[in-house]
Amino acid sequence: MAEGKKKGKVKVVLMVAVALVAFSTAGCGGSKGSSTSSSSVSTSQTTQEETANAESQTSSTDDSSTTESQATTSEAAPKDDVPAEYASALAQANSYANTMHMSKQGVYDQLTSEYGGQFSAEAAQYAIDNVQTDWNANALAKAESYSDSMHMSKQGIFDQLTSEYGEQFTADEAQYAVDNVQADWNANALAKAKSYQDDMHMSPSAIYDQLTSEYGEQFTADEAQYAVDNL
């Protein structure tokens, strides 16, 4: 009887041990599964973050490339939309105004003339509106040329500067020129008088009349008298 009880206790102990082992194994399995699951979640999150970072970098690179492309396009594009004809007219206008010292109207007429630039009226007007020059200075340069090379009188130069068949400066521009030109009007009158005497063999009286005539040289009476007195 005692031996039977002893065997019964052994069985109970064995059953308890088996239960403990089973419980322990289940617990370890659950912990391992939990760890694996947690590791999978962590790996998934890391992968998503890396993908997001890569996409962000790619987007940034694309934006940078787009910006650089736009900048390049902007640099390559012409800065001015002026038609080629207008630009050519302006280039010629600058040459006429700053090299030949022509008037505004003179430049315009030269640009549109069939014997000149043959530009359209619109292109010529654009050139006149945008040419960089000093019209007063141009008139003065022309006045100096007439005085030094042709020995013209003050009034004669003014008329030549304003004439529609001459330089076509405005009255104000011509007045500025004759007021500022460095000329010896007596010397100019004498040079003209000598020319009439030597080339046309005119008398002193005829020379005087030619020097003072409104259809001739237009010197003053004093300038003409100085000239004939010093022949």
Side-chain angles (χ1 to χ4, degrees), residues 4-61:
K5 290 180 179 181
K6 186 176 180 179
K7 290 181 178 179
K9 290 180 179 181
V10 171
K11 289 181 179 179
V12 170
V13 171
L14 288 174
M15 290 178 65
V16 171
V18 170
L20 288 174
V21 170
F23 177 80
S24 176
T25 301
C28 290
S31 175
K32 183 177 181 181
S34 175
S35 175
T36 302
S37 175
S38 176
S39 176
S40 298
V41 170
S42 177
T43 300
S44 175
Q45 290 176 345
T46 300
T47 302
Q48 291 176 352
E49 290 175 357
E50 290 176 350
T51 301
N53 289 336
E55 290 176 351
S56 176
Q57 291 176 354
T58 300
S59 176
S60 177
T61 301

Side-chain angles (χ1 to χ4, degrees), residues 105-129:
Q105 188 61 50
V107 172
Y108 180 89
D109 289 350
Q110 184 66 22
L111 291 175
T112 56
S113 172
E114 62 178 312
Y115 305 107
Q118 302 184 53
F119 288 101
S120 66
E122 293 77 12
Q125 190 60 53
Y126 170 84
I128 291 299
D129 291 341

Side-chain angles (χ1 to χ4, degrees), residues 167-230:
E167 301 297 339
Q168 302 185 78
F169 284 99
T170 66
D172 287 342
E173 292 162 352
Q175 191 61 53
Y176 171 87
V178 296
D179 286 344
N180 289 278
V181 65
Q182 299 298 312
D184 183 336
W185 305 115
N186 282 337
N188 283 8
L190 178 56
K192 283 290 187 180
K194 287 180 177 179
S195 175
Y196 285 126
Q197 183 182 59
D198 296 341
D199 298 335
M200 303 179 66
H201 311 292
M202 294 174 64
S203 67
S205 180
I207 290 174
Y208 179 92
D209 289 345
Q210 183 64 23
L211 291 178
T212 57
S213 172
E214 63 178 309
Y215 304 106
E217 301 298 338
Q218 303 185 77
F219 283 99
T220 66
D222 288 343
E223 292 161 354
Q225 191 60 54
Y226 171 88
V228 296
D229 288 346
N230 289 275

Side-chain angles (χ1 to χ4, degrees), residues 143-152 157 181-183 185 188:
E144 290 173 343
S145 177
Y146 285 126
S147 175
D148 295 342
S149 302
M150 302 179 67
H151 312 294
M152 293 177 66
I157 290 175
V181 65
Q182 299 298 312
W185 305 115
N188 283 8

